[in-house]
Amino acid sequence: MLLLFLLLAVAPLGLEAYLLGELTRVMIYGMAACAVGFAIRHGGLVSFGHAAFFGMGAYCVLMARNAGYQDALLVWPLALLAVAVLALVIGLLSLRTGGVAFIMITLGFAQMVYFIISGSQSLGAADGLPLFGRDTLAGLSLDAIHGFHYLVLVALGLVLFVMVCLSRSPAGLALRGIAHDERRMKALGYAPKRLQLAAFVFSAVVTGFAGVLAANFYQFVGPAYLHWIVSGELLVMVALGGIASLSGGLFGALILVLFEAIFSEYTTYWRIFLGPAVILSVLYLHKGVHPAVERLLGGRDD
Amino acid sequence: MTEAPLVVRDLSKSFGGLNVTRSVSLDLKPGEIHALIGPNGAGKSTLINLIAGELRPDSGAIRLNGVDVTGLHSEQRVRSGLARSFQVSSVLKDFTVLENALLAVVGRRQPALNWWRSTLSDTQGVEEAMAALEKVGLARRANAKVATLSYGERRHLELAMALALKPKVLLLDEPMAGVGTEEGHELTELVSNLRTDCAILLVEHDMDVVFALADRVSVLVEGRMIATGAPAEVREMESVQHAYFGTEDVW
Ligand SMILES: Nc1ncnc2c1ncn2[C@@H]1O[C@H](COP(=O)(O)OP(=O)(O)O)[C@@H](O)[C@H]1O
Ligand SMILES: [Mg+2]
């Protein structure tokens, strides 16, 4: 884990802008994937609707821009607040179900958000809109990829730190218990739904943050952010990286982007190779790639 | 005089057309071990589930320390001083022994759940969890993963977790099921010592255990409570021998 962070930290010194951008992208999607994995690991919630939160974060950046606001210190917290409210509503309704029904209902809500926003003319409708430059950070420009890369790195580190703290807290421990055996946890005095709702909103806010960063990275916002394929790819990253560790999603994102980079040279159907990779990861590495890598390196991680 | 810790009145429950609990009444006195016996399928586990709040009764009332809890969820009943163990051991296998006990300690303290501080840095919580483990003789295994424990040890842990909830009423559903004689004796001894901490409703098949432990015995047959009394009394009742044992030489 530390090794990866070190690599990400020194990368801007040696890489050309395009490759560096790919790494920034890995971190952004990795952050969202870690969030999706967090809700599975802590609460047993498999969400197929996180595209709604990813997209919501991105569209908030666009809406703020339309209203004339461009500074991260103002825009980003408001964006996360909006995502939290959306997640609270979707979570409250979805948590009335469980298991497969939960997967389907989160997908359903995400599709609703997709159609509402992609039908809105002022938000670029089906085409989306360009941002013309990134948000500023307390007046500082983030338009150069190097500075933006470091900002994303710090954000990712912060998010993972918060996740580690949460997972070690009593609430985090209880949520892991709920993922294993809900009935058992009730018999110990826990109210699963309340805790799960909190975990769901947290996971959504982190995903929304990744969406905010993605909008700034691409300097473009469109319905593709909200598409269910995003939800699916985040789950694929989780499956690749595993949920044995909190940062599994980051490794999943790395693998996915590498796959795309390598195989899309040869074929537009590069995703064909993804299926077997997921199957191999789940079957042979048992808990995903990350623990296997850590084992190879002899390291330890939470 | 204050009311008994647990009072069950005219409890009924049916699954479809099957009347599994029929107008059952039961009192648990302070500090008593009350054994619940009956043939397989009599509805003992169902009664435990009703009292614990995992199932809703069709009619009847349940009072804990004088408070009507019939409408409360299971987790709310836990916070009112009720704990249970499961017939099929259900401790969380991916966790360490200490973490399992801590979950119980923290569960009792709800809803003031901490989201930030590490669970293991909560020294008071760890102390309480260790004390519960100490009571069942599992303290030295505190950092072992549950998956590595023997079946008997898991049953001990199951008890420790119930104890960590500091219950006033403890429901034990066949706590000795599936363990060897040696460990059975250990668990019997253990349950006997809990008498001072809480009132216990004990579902148990082994008559030796029932006689060693129980202050009173209730007999459930086809959902109906057919007898309650001191063990020796109940044993002599003809209806019990007839309905439950069929023959006399089971004893
Ligand atoms: N959830 C349920 N749905 C339908 N029938 C059930 C359910 N739970 C228990 N039963 C039935 O109720 C009867 C009593 O079961 P149980 O309470 O487990 O008996 P015991 O613990 O005394 O062996 C059995 O016939 C069982 O099949
Ligand atoms: Mg039973």
Side-chain angles (χ1 to χ4, degrees):
Chain A
M1 189 62 234
L2 278 176
L3 199 66
L4 183 69
F5 262 84
L6 213 65
L7 279 176
L8 288 167
V10 298
L13 306 177
L15 287 179
E16 54 174 299
Y18 170 73
L19 284 176
L20 186 60
E22 288 294 283
L23 279 184
T24 314
R25 212 157 65 90
V26 165
M27 289 195 288
I28 292 172
Y29 282 101
M31 181 190 290
C34 288
V36 171
F38 186 90
I40 298 174
R41 192 176 130 110
H42 294 270
L45 301 170
V46 180
S47 163
F48 203 169
H50 264 46
F53 310 126
F54 190 74
M56 185 71 176
Y59 271 94
C60 281
V61 173
L62 177 63
M63 284 187 262
R65 197 64 69 89
N66 284 347
Y69 298 102
Q70 194 171 352
D71 199 84
L73 293 184
L74 174 70
V75 174
W76 296 6
L78 285 178
L80 299 193
L81 194 67
V83 173
V85 171
L86 180 68
L88 199 63
V89 174
I90 293 181
L92 265 176
L93 296 169
S94 303
L95 276 168
R96 300 169 75 95
T97 69
V100 176
F102 182 83
I103 299 177
M104 299 319 281
I105 201 170
T106 47
L107 172 63
F109 278 119
Q111 288 301 91
M112 272 171 58
V113 174
Y114 175 87
F115 285 115
I116 290 169
I117 292 189
S118 65
S120 163
Q121 287 304 328
S122 64
L123 295 175
D127 297 328
L129 285 172
L131 285 176
F132 303 112
R134 301 198 169 107
D135 286 335
T136 56
L137 182 66
L140 294 172
S141 165
L142 295 171
D143 285 343
I145 185 66
H146 286 74
F148 189 66
H149 177 88
Y150 278 117
L151 178 80
V152 174
L153 182 63
V154 169
L156 179 64
L158 213 65
V159 162
L160 283 174
F161 173 74
V162 170
M163 281 186 182
V164 168
C165 289
L166 288 182
S167 78
R168 286 180 182 165
S169 77
L173 191 62
L175 277 162
R176 271 184 77 189
I178 288 164
H180 282 279
D181 187 345
E182 206 171 302
R183 176 170 176 229
R184 195 5 163 187
M185 296 305 288
K186 279 188 184 171
L188 293 177
Y190 294 93
K193 295 279 180 261
R194 238 180 24 150
L195 287 169
Q196 283 173 315
L197 182 63
F200 185 75
V201 171
F202 170 72
S203 163
V205 167
V206 171
T207 304
F209 189 22
V212 166
L213 294 173
N216 277 285
F217 174 74
Y218 292 115
Q219 302 178 40
F220 172 84
V221 177
Y225 285 86
L226 293 162
H227 203 278
W228 62 267
I229 284 184
V230 172
S231 304
E233 281 188 335
L234 291 177
L235 283 172
V236 166
M237 290 175 197
V238 172
L240 280 171
I243 54 166
S245 72
L246 290 166
S247 49
L250 181 59
F251 285 79
L254 182 64
I255 295 167
L256 196 73
V257 169
L258 280 178
F259 255 75
E260 188 180 351
I262 296 168
F263 290 112
S264 62
E265 296 258 319
Y266 306 103
T267 166
T268 46
Y269 301 111
W270 61 272
R271 282 194 177 82
I272 283 179
F273 298 100
L274 204 57
V278 171
I279 293 169
L280 285 177
S281 153
V282 172
L283 281 185
Y284 290 101
L285 301 174
H286 195 55
K287 285 178 170 168
V289 172
H290 183 202
V293 172
E294 293 287 340
R295 246 179 284 133
L296 278 179
L297 298 174
R300 245 187 64 88
D301 196 81
D302 232 73
Chain B
M1 208 193 111
T2 53
E3 201 180 71
L6 176 70
V7 174
V8 174
R9 283 290 167 267
D10 298 321
L11 213 58
S12 293
K13 175 77 185 175
S14 54
F15 295 113
L18 190 66
N19 298 317
V20 180
T21 307
R22 309 181 193 206
S23 194
V24 167
S25 294
L26 176 95
D27 287 345
L28 214 55
K29 295 176 183 163
E32 96 168 320
I33 295 183
H34 192 130
L36 180 65
I37 63 173
N40 249 329
K44 304 182 296 292
S45 293
T46 303
L47 182 57
I48 296 282
N49 288 339
L50 285 168
I51 298 173
E54 288 179 30
L55 289 173
R56 292 270 132 150
D58 301 330
S59 62
I62 301 160
R63 290 199 296 276
L64 258 180
N65 302 307
V67 180
D68 191 322
V69 297
T70 320
L72 296 189
H73 295 296
S74 55
E75 64 268 22
Q76 295 167 319
R77 294 185 198 189
V78 172
R79 279 175 247 159
S80 317
L82 182 77
R84 69 163 299 175
S85 74
F86 289 87
Q87 184 174 5
V88 179
S89 190
S90 64
V91 287
L92 301 166
K93 295 180 195 62
D94 284 1
F95 291 55
T96 67
V97 170
L98 179 60
E99 281 171 334
N100 268 277
L102 266 169
L103 273 175
V105 171
V106 173
R108 193 191 73 236
R109 291 209 206 115
Q110 290 242 3
L113 256 194
N114 192 306
W115 283 87
W116 195 246
R117 224 169 43 145
S118 163
T119 314
L120 293 171
S121 73
D122 172 2
T123 39
Q124 197 202 336
V126 172
E127 243 165 57
E128 276 182 41
M130 285 306 289
L133 292 177
E134 199 80 59
K135 254 193 177 153
V136 303
L138 268 183
R140 76 206 147 73
R141 301 282 270 147
N143 290 316
K145 282 256 194 294
V146 168
T148 68
L149 296 190
S150 73
Y151 186 77
E153 285 175 318
R154 285 187 206 183
R155 305 252 50 154
H156 278 84
L157 178 55
E158 184 81 41
L159 268 182
M161 290 169 74
L163 286 181
L165 291 169
K166 301 226 166 116
K168 305 213 176 56
V169 171
L170 181 57
L171 313 173
L172 298 177
D173 196 356
E174 305 202 16
M176 289 87 166
V179 304
T181 350
E182 184 88 354
E183 265 175 332
H185 285 314
E186 260 179 62
L187 282 163
T188 306
E189 175 92 22
L190 205 80
V191 173
S192 180
N193 292 335
L194 299 183
R195 203 186 310 250
T196 49
D197 299 334
C198 50
I200 298 173
L201 182 62
L202 169 75
V203 176
E204 182 52 54
H205 266 306
D206 189 332
M207 288 308 141
D208 291 338
V209 173
V210 170
F211 272 90
L213 286 177
D215 301 301
R216 286 195 300 162
V217 179
S218 286
V219 186
L220 197 66
V221 175
E222 289 176 16
R224 236 186 275 281
M225 205 66 109
I226 63 164
T228 296
E233 264 171 55
V234 170
R235 171 165 54 176
E236 299 307 324
M237 287 183 195
E238 215 172 294
S239 57
V240 174
Q241 293 188 354
H242 183 74
Y244 182 23
F245 306 104
T247 64
E248 290 184 26
D249 50 31
V250 177
W251 303 87

